[in-house]
């Protein structure tokens, strides 16, 4: 059975869009406020657009942690989707409360949702760094998972083919056995018919001789 998994990293991991798409890495946006405007980095704008906005902004952008509410919504969504393993790589816990929010939300989520811990395994990793430092780890994890699934799929395909061949051979053996039985029955019936024919012929001949 193929294990269903999802890999998430927050926007601070700076994983290029093409690699996200290639390996199916999902991104959790980090709110960034510039003056009166708040954007969801990693989702609403690209990295290039974000840096251009920073250059044009006179003040200092303010980032916010990913809230427990966001993690609760994520866990509920993946549980409903049937995901079996949820992997999250998050920004350095020494510089953000994001990781601790995820940990506390996971504990509460399991307490409030009976049976969820058996259905959805939530793996939380403290990135221990910023930007590509843990973004690269997310990419490697996704590559390994993709390779593992591909191997599993190939193994399953081989197993299905082997089972199909074995079943076909079994059907052929059974069919040959039935044919052999029919041939034997046919030979027996043919012999009986020939015997009856000979007896009838003998009776007819004897009657003719009498006449």
């Amino acid at each position: 059975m193929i294990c269903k998994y999802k890999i998430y990293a927050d926007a601070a991991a700076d994983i290029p869009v093409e690699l996200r798409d290639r390996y199916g890495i999902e991104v959790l946006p980090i709110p960034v406020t510039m003056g009166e405007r708040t954007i969801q980095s990693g989702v609403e704008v690209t990295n290039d657009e974000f840096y251009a906005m920073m250059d044009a902004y006179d003040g200092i952008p303010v980032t916010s942690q990913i809230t427990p509410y966001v993690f609760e919504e994520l866990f509920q969504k993946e549980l409903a989707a049937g995901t079996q393993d949820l992997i999250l790589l998050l920004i350095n816990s020494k510089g953000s409360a994001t990781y601790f929010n995820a940990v506390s939300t996971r504990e509460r989520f399991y307490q409030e949702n009976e049976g969820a811990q058996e259905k959805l395994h939530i793996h939380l990793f403290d990135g221990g760094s910023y930007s590509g430092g843990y973004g690269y780890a997310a990419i490697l994890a996704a590559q390994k998972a993709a390779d593992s699934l591909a191997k599993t799929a190939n193994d399953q395909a081989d197993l299905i083919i082997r089972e199909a061949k074995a079943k076909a051979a079994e059907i052929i053996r059974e069919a040959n056995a039935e044919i052999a039985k029919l041939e034997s029955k046919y030979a027996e019936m043919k012999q009986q018919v020939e015997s009856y024919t000979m007896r009838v012929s003998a009776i007819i001949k004897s009657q003719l001789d009498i006449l």
Side-chain angles (χ1 to χ4, degrees), residues 34-108:
M34 299 183 189
E36 296 181 355
R37 182 182 180 186
T38 298
I39 63 170
Q40 300 296 319
S41 64
V43 176
E44 292 183 355
V45 296
T46 65
N47 286 345
D48 289 340
E49 291 170 338
F50 177 70
Y51 296 139
M53 291 172 63
M54 288 183 61
D55 289 339
Y57 181 56
D58 292 334
I60 298 176
V62 177
T63 60
S64 300
Q65 61 194 4
I66 299 176
T67 66
Y69 174 78
V70 172
F71 287 116
E72 175 71 24
E73 290 289 299
L74 173 64
F75 298 162
Q76 291 287 359
K77 182 185 77 171
E78 295 302 339
L79 177 64
T83 300
Q84 295 174 352
D85 287 276
L86 179 61
I87 302 166
L88 282 78
L89 290 93
L90 303 169
I91 192 171
N92 190 351
S93 63
K94 294 180 179 179
S96 171
T98 292
Y99 174 75
F100 296 111
N101 287 342
V103 172
S104 62
T105 304
R106 177 180 61 182
E107 293 176 359
R108 187 175 65 255

Side-chain angles (χ1 to χ4, degrees), residues 53-199:
M53 291 172 63
M54 288 183 61
D55 289 339
Y57 181 56
D58 292 334
I60 298 176
V62 177
T63 60
S64 300
Q65 61 194 4
I66 299 176
T67 66
Y69 174 78
V70 172
F71 287 116
E72 175 71 24
E73 290 289 299
L74 173 64
F75 298 162
Q76 291 287 359
K77 182 185 77 171
E78 295 302 339
L79 177 64
T83 300
Q84 295 174 352
D85 287 276
L86 179 61
I87 302 166
L88 282 78
L89 290 93
L90 303 169
I91 192 171
N92 190 351
S93 63
K94 294 180 179 179
S96 171
T98 292
Y99 174 75
F100 296 111
N101 287 342
V103 172
S104 62
T105 304
R106 177 180 61 182
E107 293 176 359
R108 187 175 65 255
F109 175 75
Y110 283 152
Q111 290 173 358
E112 296 177 353
N113 295 271
E114 186 177 355
Q117 191 165 359
E118 288 72 34
K119 296 176 182 177
L120 175 63
H121 306 121
I122 303 172
H123 311 274
L124 304 176
F125 296 93
D126 182 350
S129 60
Y130 303 92
S131 189
Y134 67 102
Y136 183 60
I139 295 169
L140 287 180
Q143 287 176 333
K144 290 290 185 181
D147 291 344
S148 176
L149 280 182
K151 183 178 185 301
T152 301
N154 288 335
D155 290 344
Q156 285 192 324
D158 289 341
L159 177 61
I160 290 171
I161 291 172
R162 288 197 301 272
E163 289 179 346
K165 287 182 177 179
K167 188 63 177 177
E170 180 183 349
I171 292 172
I172 291 171
R173 284 195 302 271
E174 291 177 353
N176 287 337
E178 289 298 321
I179 291 172
K181 289 180 182 178
L182 290 173
E183 288 178 341
S184 175
K185 189 69 174 176
Y186 172 76
E188 182 181 344
M189 290 176 63
K190 183 180 179 182
Q191 187 176 13
Q192 288 178 347
V193 169
E194 290 176 349
S195 175
Y196 293 152
T197 301
M198 290 175 62
R199 289 172 60 188

